[in-house]
Amino acid sequence: MYAIRSTYYDPTPYEALLRIEREARKAPYRPMVFICSPYAGDIERNIRKAQGYCRFAVSRNCIPIAPHLLFPQFMDDDDEQMRNLGLYFGMVLMSKCSEVWVFGRKITKGMSIEIEKAKQRSIPIRYFNERCEEVQCK
């Protein structure tokens, strides 16, 4: 037997997407910011802190980009090749961001790579302490 395919027009998904697009156009501009904070070391604690930094960025009407929260979910940070690929992916995402926000006093090796790339690309860098208070860079 052959299945009969329905080819009638269903406006529901189209209308839903159209409504979402209309609402998005009304919303204020939200710049993307790259979240630069420690991952290595106490990973569970650093993940919780990075999540808090992302919440802080959202509270400041920004869209946080935190590759160290995304890529370790499916890439092995202990595998040097995978880690380097994850850093590369992060650099690609950074190029789409309007600023880099660096959190905490400790600058890890991965963070220093990200900071240096931001400087090379002339992406503005802002520094924050662990309480999300902006500080001046030394």
Side-chain angles (χ1 to χ4, degrees):
M1 297 296 308
Y2 294 101
I4 300 174
R5 291 178 79 177
S6 173
T7 57
Y8 68 90
Y9 171 71
D10 182 1
T12 308
Y14 173 77
E15 291 297 327
L17 289 172
L18 196 59
R19 188 170 30 254
I20 290 168
E21 283 184 17
R22 280 189 206 123
E23 289 301 315
R25 282 190 217 118
K26 292 179 192 174
Y29 172 71
R30 291 179 178 254
M32 288 195 299
V33 296
F34 188 91
I35 304 299
C36 181
S37 67
Y39 178 77
D42 187 346
I43 293 174
E44 288 184 29
R45 181 173 182 257
N46 290 339
I47 287 173
R48 284 192 308 275
K49 287 179 153 207
Q51 290 168 334
Y53 302 148
C54 288
R55 281 190 291 275
F56 170 72
V58 170
S59 77
R60 297 298 183 263
N61 295 315
C62 294
I63 301 169
I65 303 297
H68 56 305
L69 292 181
L70 173 62
F71 299 128
Q73 293 185 51
F74 56 88
M75 298 175 83
D76 184 0
D77 196 57
D78 293 326
D79 178 322
E80 186 177 348
Q81 192 174 17
M82 285 281 207
R83 177 177 168 71
N84 290 337
L85 189 57
L87 283 168
Y88 169 75
F89 290 168
M91 299 302 158
V92 171
L93 292 174
M94 179 193 292
S95 71
K96 309 299 180 195
C97 295
S98 60
E99 292 182 336
V100 171
W101 290 9
V102 179
F103 289 89
R105 284 182 288 150
K106 182 180 179 186
I107 303 296
T108 64
K109 181 180 176 185
M111 291 171 67
S112 65
I113 293 169
E114 293 168 341
I115 292 166
E116 186 57 36
K117 185 57 84 172
K119 288 177 182 177
Q120 290 173 5
R121 292 179 174 166
S122 299
I123 299 173
I125 303 170
R126 295 173 64 186
Y127 293 87
F128 298 85
N129 63 23
E130 291 182 348
R131 294 183 309 274
C132 298
E133 300 164 335
E134 192 160 6
V135 295
Q136 296 302 313
C137 179
K138 298 174 187 173

